[in-house]
Amino acid sequence: MMRMNDPTLHPAATNGGTDDDGDARSPRGIQSIEVGGQLLKALVRAGSALALKDLARAAGMTPAKAHPYLVSFGKLGLVEQDAVSGRYGLGPLALQLGLIGLQQVDPVRLAVAQLPALAAQLGCTVSAAVWGPMGPIIVHVEHGPTPVHVAMRHGTPASLRHTGTGKVFAAFAPPQAVAEALLERIEVLEDQAARIRADRDGLAERLGQLPGVTVFPSAANFVLVRVPDAGRAFAGMKARRVLVRNFDGAHPLLANCLRLTVGTPEENELMLAALSESL
């Protein structure tokens, strides 16, 4: 049983959780474990085995003080000493803890937690997707400070051929899995492609009717247009919560050009209205 005046203990919190001056006290801990833990942290930071004097210095203590901790950690398997060099490295228990920690990590939860900051930094709507039985699936959408028309919803499949999300998965996922997903959804993909082509052609025709707008031929899921003033049109559309790509200045051949992504019929109508009002 530990004595309450044990010097290795932090002062205990009172029943009310405050000291005599009313300040909140932190939970009681064992100070010697926290001190010895600095040696483990130093090994992690180093990323390799260290000699006793180097390890002690990295942990902010003398070798004489560090050695007893290392002996105890060695008995637990948290560290081990190389029999030839005498250097200390992480032991088998530390490796097991690391592996179990990795198993407990939820990568989707970690990724989703980063989306609000990413959306704010980029000023755009962003999403997280995972690989499902039939390819990429959108699992979370985080809207940026400027709402835009976007066809992403939770649970929406991302086309491997016609979306940026799908193309990223197609580039880095195992080729066999990508091929199987494409074959399993070939009819769906062909239907999607047919609808996109029809919507694209209708959008291009409507765009060509706007004054001062030149429409370039397209075989993709977007339409490239030249407008009298791309900067003004881009700013006006953004103010109306419709985000497009402004290629003006990227290349002399792209002067005053905007790239408009083909969306749903409703989204295309919003985009047409925003562009018409921004010319």
Side-chain angles (χ1 to χ4, degrees), residues 206-233:
R206 297 278 300 280
L207 287 168
Q209 298 172 2
L210 297 177
V213 175
T214 300
V215 182
F216 295 95
S218 174
N221 65 333
F222 59 83
V223 178
L224 186 71
V225 299
R226 175 168 285 128
V227 296
D229 187 338
R232 176 182 176 182

Side-chain angles (χ1 to χ4, degrees), residues 29-68:
I30 301 177
Q31 189 175 29
S32 61
I33 293 179
E34 297 175 14
V35 173
Q38 298 304 313
L39 293 164
L40 300 177
K41 290 183 177 181
L43 284 173
V44 171
R45 290 193 299 267
S48 60
L50 296 174
L52 175 58
K53 63 177 182 179
D54 296 326
L55 177 54
R57 181 171 58 250
M61 62 182 72
T62 65
K65 181 178 180 180
H67 186 261

Side-chain angles (χ1 to χ4, degrees), residues 212 226-236 246 248 255-258 275 278-279:
R226 175 168 285 128
V227 296
D229 187 338
R232 176 182 176 182
F234 176 82
N246 183 5
D248 185 43
N256 284 316
C257 284
L258 301 175
L275 177 59
S278 303
L279 292 174

